[in-house]
């Protein structure tokens, strides 16, 4: 490939990061503000005749759905591969949608690797398919594939010449008259892809005990082989369009057909539509991630084959709530909003943890960029009662991170400005895309390859959009920040408050901290009122009826010092440098 682009999202993030780190001399790689833009960049690279990879997690393809579906009509000139990483069991996602249906919806070929070595081999094949049929190719992975380590034979890198730009107005300008013609081209292409799928070498039949024939794909195939080692298998790697003749032949040579797949009955529905009776989602779970153990338990009732027994000797682990990091600049904001009894419409990011105990502050997180729109909707439905003090209700605020704001928050802001909505928008600017591992975004001064980039000011952008009341606060200054927030929620106009402390895990922050810059609890003053424990800082704990501070993890943000009503938490050395004494972003 010549170009790689995407938006970070677990479990897809490491793909583009690896390309940017190890292949920056050969491949132009970059993060885009969101998946839609990333896909459009990829499409442009394909127009120019380059092989291009665009990466995103499964819900990211929802954001890129418009260009993705239309690119099926437009086609690909340079090879265009779309890596969509699904997240069964929702380890780091708000849903576990099955993106295989996107291939069927857009009528583009779908490839599913079952292990790292096959993933590496299939990428090359995906480009060959894309260029032969002039189509985007959906390359669907899952969390388990993306986070698995395996032996891979890299081979030699092949330099594929740049085709160069070739104008095609009739094919790329999707006016209705052109789109109608292109629709016929897509349907004709689908016929040829069906023929190709029938002889696709990675679709493989393995005959053993023919009393059971398993049809599977992706990592589910690996689990099925482990659970049913003696069964016959049809391993599908090109799962749309399906090789119907191969499936019929396999089904005719086994007594019973079992379809093993994670999540939705994507294969099962199509195979049943062919008139073939199968055992499938009546037994195999439709939710969560499969494993050999889950699959064994699911099939125990229906299959009479002897199943391998599993023994897992895993020591018990004490459960705990996920929490924001010690010294996280988001924590003070949620502490203040909790005191204010605010109704908080939230968004996707580390700060979503503000919904969990002990803060319990965020009340809605739907998808990227939803915080501003949902707050607008609540204001529309409830009406503004702020002009009548006797009818005042809980203030409604929206909280959104800096990367998420650039991703899809700007449109909500423009809605609020244009329609004269009131309300307070809090942008938690921690100078990075923290939740997925500190990737760049338009608001930071560096790119994926580490080179210097132009940094877009959120404050300037918001002012340019027409917001009159824009304020920058230091979240570690609890008193001043609370003063600003309490004032702004009473305002009968739109206001935006931007925080200005970077993520405490950024290397430029951690590397400047002394060994210990923190605080300690004076046991003579501590009444064990437990108020400091309600902050949710992982460095604060209880022992022997007193609050305690873990000196290994405390970074000296001072929030607990300001919160304690009895002055029982004290700076070890008030003059020593701490996280509050540097790294403040200018607003």
């Amino acid at each position: 490939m010549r170009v790689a682009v995407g938006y970070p999202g677990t479990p897809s993030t490491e793909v583009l990061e690896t390309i940017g780190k190890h292949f920056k001399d050969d491949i132009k790689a970059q993060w885009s503000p969101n998946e839609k833009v990333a896909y459009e960049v990829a499409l442009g690279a394909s127009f120019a005749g380059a092989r291009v990879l665009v990466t995103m997690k499964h819900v990211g393809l929802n954001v890129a759905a418009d260009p993705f579906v239309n690119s099926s009509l437009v086609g690909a000139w340079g090879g265009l591969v779309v890596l969509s990483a699904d997240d069964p069991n929702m380890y780091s996602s708000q849903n576990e949608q099955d993106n295989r249906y996107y291939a069927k919806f857009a009528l583009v070929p779908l490839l599913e690797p079952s292990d790292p070595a096959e993933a590496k081999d299939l990428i090359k094949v995906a480009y060959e398919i894309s260029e032969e049929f002039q189509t985007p190719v959906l390359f669907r992975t899952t969390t388990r594939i993306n986070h698995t380590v395996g032996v891979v034979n890299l081979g030699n890198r092949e330099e594929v010449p740049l085709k160069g730009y070739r104008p095609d107005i009739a094919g790329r300008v999707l006016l209705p008259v052109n789109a109608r013609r292109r629709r016929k081209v897509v349907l004709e292409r689908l016929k040829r892809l069906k023929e190709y799928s029938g002889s696709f070498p990675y679709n493989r039949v393995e005959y053993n005990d023919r009393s059971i024939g398993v049809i599977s794909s992706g990592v589910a195939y690996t689990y099925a082989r482990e659970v049913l080692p003696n069964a016959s298998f049809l391993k599908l790697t090109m799962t749309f369009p399906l090789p119907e003749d191969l499936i019929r032949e396999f089904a005719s040579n086994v007594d019973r057909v079992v379809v093993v797949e994670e999540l939705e009955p994507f294969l099962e529905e199509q195979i049943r539509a062919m008139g073939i009776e199968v055992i499938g989602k009546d037994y195999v779970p439709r939710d969560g991630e499969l494993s050999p153990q889950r699959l064994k338990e699911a099939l125990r009732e229906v299959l009479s084959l002897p199943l391998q027994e599993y023994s897992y000797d895993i020591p018990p682990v004490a459960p705990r709530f996920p929490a924001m990091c010690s010294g996280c600049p988001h924590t003070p904001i949620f502490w203040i909003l909790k005191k204010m009894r605010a109704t908080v419409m939230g968004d996707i990011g580390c700060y979503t943890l503000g919904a969990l105990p002990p803060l319990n502050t965020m009340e809605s997180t739907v998808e990227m960029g939803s915080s501003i729109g949902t707050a607008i909707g609540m204001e529309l439905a409830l009406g503004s009662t702020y002009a009548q003090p006797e009818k005042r209700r809980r203030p409604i605020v929206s909280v959104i991170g800096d990367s998420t704001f650039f991703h899809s928050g700007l449109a909500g802001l423009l809605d609020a400005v244009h329609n004269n909505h009131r309300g307070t928008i809090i942008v938690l600017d921690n100078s990075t895309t923290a939740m997925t591992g500190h990737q760049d975004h338009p608001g930071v001064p560096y790119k994926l390859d580490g080179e210097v980039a132009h940094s877009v000011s959120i404050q300037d952008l918001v002012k340019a959009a027409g917001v009159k009341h824009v304020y920058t606060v230091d979240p570690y200054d609890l008193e001043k920040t609370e003063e600003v927030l309490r004032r702004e929620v009473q305002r009968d106009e739109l206001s935006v408050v931007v925080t200005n402390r970077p993520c405490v895990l950024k290397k430029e922050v951690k590397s400047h901290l002394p060994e210990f810059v923190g605080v300690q609890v004076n046991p003579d003053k501590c009444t064990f009122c437990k108020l400091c424990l309600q902050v949710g800082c992982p460095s604060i704990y209880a022992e022997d009826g007193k609050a305690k501070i873990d000196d290994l993890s405390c970074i000296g943000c001072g929030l607990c010092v300001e919160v304690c009503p009895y002055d029982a938490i004290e700076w070890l050395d008030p003059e020593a440098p701490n996280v509050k004494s540097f790294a403040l972003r200018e607003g």
Side-chain angles (χ1 to χ4, degrees), residues 108-137:
V108 301
L110 170 64
L111 299 182
E112 293 187 75
S114 59
D115 56 52
E118 192 171 61
K120 175 260 176 184
D121 293 339
L122 278 180
I123 279 287
K124 180 182 178 182
V125 175
Y127 284 113
E128 293 169 353
I129 294 173
S130 177
E131 291 173 344
E132 179 180 347
F133 292 92
Q134 294 191 10
T135 177
V137 174

Side-chain angles (χ1 to χ4, degrees), residues 73 170 172-184:
L73 292 171
R172 296 182 188 141
V173 180
L174 291 183
L175 293 168
V177 63
N178 292 333
R180 292 187 196 106
R181 285 196 293 262
R182 291 299 302 174
R183 171 70 174 174
K184 296 182 185 300

Side-chain angles (χ1 to χ4, degrees), residues 92-160:
S92 184
S93 307
Q94 60 269 47
N95 74 32
E96 56 177 3
Q97 70 190 46
D98 191 331
N99 274 11
R100 293 180 295 176
Y101 285 97
Y102 263 120
K104 189 177 180 183
F105 183 57
L107 302 181
V108 301
L110 170 64
L111 299 182
E112 293 187 75
S114 59
D115 56 52
E118 192 171 61
K120 175 260 176 184
D121 293 339
L122 278 180
I123 279 287
K124 180 182 178 182
V125 175
Y127 284 113
E128 293 169 353
I129 294 173
S130 177
E131 291 173 344
E132 179 180 347
F133 292 92
Q134 294 191 10
T135 177
V137 174
L138 184 59
F139 196 90
R140 189 242 190 184
T141 64
T142 62
T143 300
R144 204 51 50 207
I145 293 295
N146 284 48
H147 292 172
T148 295
V149 175
V151 177
V152 174
N153 181 15
L154 290 179
N156 296 321
R157 176 174 166 79
E158 295 180 19
E159 187 64 33
V160 178

Side-chain angles (χ1 to χ4, degrees), residues 295-313:
L295 186 59
K296 181 193 72 171
E297 292 170 357
L299 296 177
R300 187 189 298 277
E301 294 180 15
V302 69
L303 297 183
S304 57
L305 286 175
L307 299 177
Q308 179 181 350
E309 293 297 326
Y310 294 86
S311 175
Y312 296 100
D313 186 19

Side-chain angles (χ1 to χ4, degrees), residues 292-339:
Q293 183 67 18
R294 281 194 86 198
L295 186 59
K296 181 193 72 171
E297 292 170 357
L299 296 177
R300 187 189 298 277
E301 294 180 15
V302 69
L303 297 183
S304 57
L305 286 175
L307 299 177
Q308 179 181 350
E309 293 297 326
Y310 294 86
S311 175
Y312 296 100
D313 186 19
I314 302 175
V317 177
R320 71 174 182 88
F321 280 110
M324 285 181 274
C325 301
S326 298
C328 175
H330 300 336
T331 303
I333 299 297
F334 287 106
W335 173 258
I336 294 169
L337 293 175
K338 184 175 183 177
K339 286 177 63 180

Side-chain angles (χ1 to χ4, degrees), residues 37 222 240 273 276 293 321 358 398 413 433:
V37 173
T222 306
F240 187 83
I276 300 172
Q293 183 67 18
F321 280 110
S398 53
L413 174 74
T433 310

